[in-house]
Amino acid sequence: MRNPRTATVGTTAGVAAASVVACLALAGCSTPAAAAPGISDDTVTVGTHQPLTGPAAAGYASISAATKAYFEYVNANGGVHGRSIEYVVKDDGYNPANTQTVVRELVQEDQVFALLGGLGTPTHSSVLDYLDQNDVPDLFVASGSTMWDDPEGHPNTFGFNADYVVEGAALAQYTADEHAGSKVCVFGQDDDFGAEFLEGVELALGADGVTAHESYSTSNQDVTAQMGALQAAGCEDVLLATVNGFTALAVGTAAKMGWSPRWLASSSGGDYPTLVELLGEDVAPALLQGFVSANYLPFGPDGEWVELFEQINDEYNDGARFDGNTVYGMSVGYLFAEALAQAGEDPTRESLVEAVESGKLEGNGILPLMFGPDDHSAFDGVGITVVADGVQDYVGATYAVGGGKVTEVEPQPVELRGGGVPAP
């Protein structure tokens, strides 16, 4: 005689099993791979907001095209865990109101798995809380603001750039090492970019180490008054917390005034090919001879990463102009592919964030990544590049910033492996 309890369990189990079979047959249930938005058996969909038009387009519109080209290269080589990466790029015109609209479209309509490389501090900060409230992984923000490093307040957000404090401190220390006793001045954007960069400069030189400080607004294309004030102050080394367009404006305006200090720029405004295009090929090589900038990614005319990215650019990006934006965009793409590979065969949003926090990601920078459970910043240091005879390259000086001080360190570039496609 059957035990009634056993019979009940067996019947319940049978009904449950039948329900699962029926559910799968009707596609009413999802496999673990399909449980996360933006994930199917064959694809993973991520999105971004970028300034394809508007005031920042001239300096940054090419970044997302480079990222997309890198993903096409990965897809042509088998994808990640057999999935192709689809990258949905939406134009926000560098306008925070537009950013809010397009990011909601990405999350609610496009059902992206993650946001990747959203560009700009004023733009991205306007969607920071929204992404957190919707548990969307917010990876590798394209801005050097320190606000992306907030594991408790925004646990899904991670930066990518070396932050502005790091860059300001490193450039100031390089100036002190190379030109001790010179009059150091700062020209910066009138927002957290300029403020945090100045904080870094003062960290290295002390508050009394800055001779003069001038700022600009992106809405005003005339910087004559600021350049005049810096010239009158006797500035010899001018450190720039500027985007590429305003770097060119500063250098060009000073040249018209007959003034030529030494220029040192944040990576956000220090890309030589972009500056040449903005200033003009007839005058740029002379104006930018000796131009100094910070960077943390593969750079210069040699190196396996640069060679690979040039090949990808030619084949998958219609041979667009190759510059620092190209390297930046493809480096962001590589780091995401690496995180996706670490997130497992059936990735979830949670496993993707855990992969970034694991400390196992290497990226392709010249210094180790800092990501961990208590640190959502990418790089704590930068290398110094200098333009010589039309070529911008590292000169060997590399600085890390931490514990309230600046330290010269040895670069530790990541070796290219697997043809630049991360292995699971």
Side-chain angles (χ1 to χ4, degrees), residues 94-416:
Y94 207 67
N95 181 321
N98 295 343
T99 308
Q100 293 176 39
T101 298
V102 300
V103 167
R104 281 176 168 78
E105 290 174 357
L106 288 167
V107 173
Q108 297 172 10
E109 298 175 16
D110 298 294
Q111 291 283 299
V112 296
F113 181 51
L115 205 76
L116 176 64
L119 191 144
T121 302
T123 47
H124 197 75
S125 60
S126 73
V127 295
L128 195 59
D129 290 337
Y130 171 79
L131 292 169
D132 181 61
Q133 291 161 6
N134 286 273
D135 293 320
V136 180
D138 180 18
L139 305 187
F140 317 141
V141 183
S143 154
S145 173
T146 58
M147 74 172 66
W148 321 131
D149 181 18
D150 181 20
E152 291 190 10
H154 297 94
N156 296 319
T157 296
F158 299 82
F160 182 76
N161 301 30
D163 70 48
Y164 302 135
V165 175
V166 167
E167 290 197 324
L171 288 168
Q173 189 61 54
Y174 177 75
T175 299
D177 292 344
E178 295 293 313
H179 307 289
S182 73
K183 290 188 175 182
V184 177
C185 300
V186 175
F187 178 57
Q189 201 159 287
D190 62 348
D191 56 16
D192 71 305
F193 180 9
E196 291 183 354
F197 184 90
L198 178 62
E199 179 185 339
V201 174
E202 293 180 340
L203 185 155
L205 304 180
D208 58 353
V210 178
T211 299
H213 170 230
E214 293 290 326
S215 62
Y216 71 90
S217 168
T218 55
S219 63
N220 186 350
Q221 299 286 313
D222 186 357
V223 297
T224 304
Q226 295 96 317
M227 292 302 104
L230 294 176
Q231 182 183 26
C235 302
E236 297 170 282
D237 290 274
V238 179
L239 278 60
L240 301 170
T242 49
V243 295
N244 285 311
F246 277 85
T247 300
L249 273 174
V251 173
T253 300
K256 290 178 181 178
M257 297 166 56
W259 181 48
S260 54
R262 290 182 290 266
W263 302 103
L264 303 93
S266 158
S267 61
S268 298
D271 183 56
Y272 180 71
T274 302
L275 296 175
V276 170
E277 183 179 38
L278 292 169
L279 288 166
E281 294 184 1
D282 54 336
V283 299
L287 294 181
L288 297 174
Q289 176 68 12
F291 178 84
V292 176
S293 183
N295 210 326
Y296 42 90
L297 296 174
F299 208 72
D302 303 314
E304 292 180 314
W305 284 103
V306 172
E307 182 179 345
L308 172 65
F309 289 162
E310 285 181 326
Q311 292 172 357
I312 295 173
N313 190 62
D314 288 342
E315 186 170 355
Y316 296 98
N317 199 23
D318 297 325
R321 187 187 69 187
F322 188 87
D323 56 22
N325 286 338
T326 315
V327 173
Y328 183 99
M330 292 191 186
S331 298
V332 169
Y334 175 81
L335 188 57
F336 174 75
E338 191 182 2
L340 187 62
Q342 292 281 345
E345 291 186 7
D346 295 319
T348 63
R349 285 174 165 175
E350 292 77 12
S351 72
L352 182 65
V353 170
E354 288 171 3
V356 182
E357 288 187 333
S358 70
K360 296 179 180 179
L361 301 186
E362 292 186 323
N364 67 337
I366 65 166
L367 289 169
L369 291 167
M370 301 301 294
F371 293 134
D374 301 317
D375 193 338
H376 285 194
S377 64
F379 298 99
D380 69 347
V382 294
I384 302 298
T385 70
V386 177
V387 175
D389 299 324
V391 177
Q392 186 176 35
D393 202 358
Y394 286 113
V395 293
T398 307
Y399 299 91
V401 181
K405 62 181 182 179
V406 189
T407 306
E408 187 164 7
V409 297
E410 289 294 322
Q412 300 177 51
V414 177
E415 179 184 353
L416 174 67

Side-chain angles (χ1 to χ4, degrees), residues 28-125:
C29 294
S30 57
T31 63
I39 294 286
S40 74
D41 289 339
D42 304 317
T43 62
V44 52
T45 302
V46 292
T48 190
H49 63 89
Q50 298 288 319
L52 304 183
T53 59
Y60 303 119
S62 61
I63 290 175
S64 56
T67 305
K68 185 181 285 285
Y70 171 77
F71 286 153
E72 289 182 12
Y73 169 75
V74 171
N75 295 343
N77 284 275
V80 179
H81 290 298
R83 292 186 182 87
S84 295
I85 302 172
E86 295 183 355
Y87 196 40
V88 183
V89 180
K90 299 212 171 187
D91 179 20
D92 65 4
Y94 207 67
N95 181 321
N98 295 343
T99 308
Q100 293 176 39
T101 298
V102 300
V103 167
R104 281 176 168 78
E105 290 174 357
L106 288 167
V107 173
Q108 297 172 10
E109 298 175 16
D110 298 294
Q111 291 283 299
V112 296
F113 181 51
L115 205 76
L116 176 64
L119 191 144
T121 302
T123 47
H124 197 75
S125 60

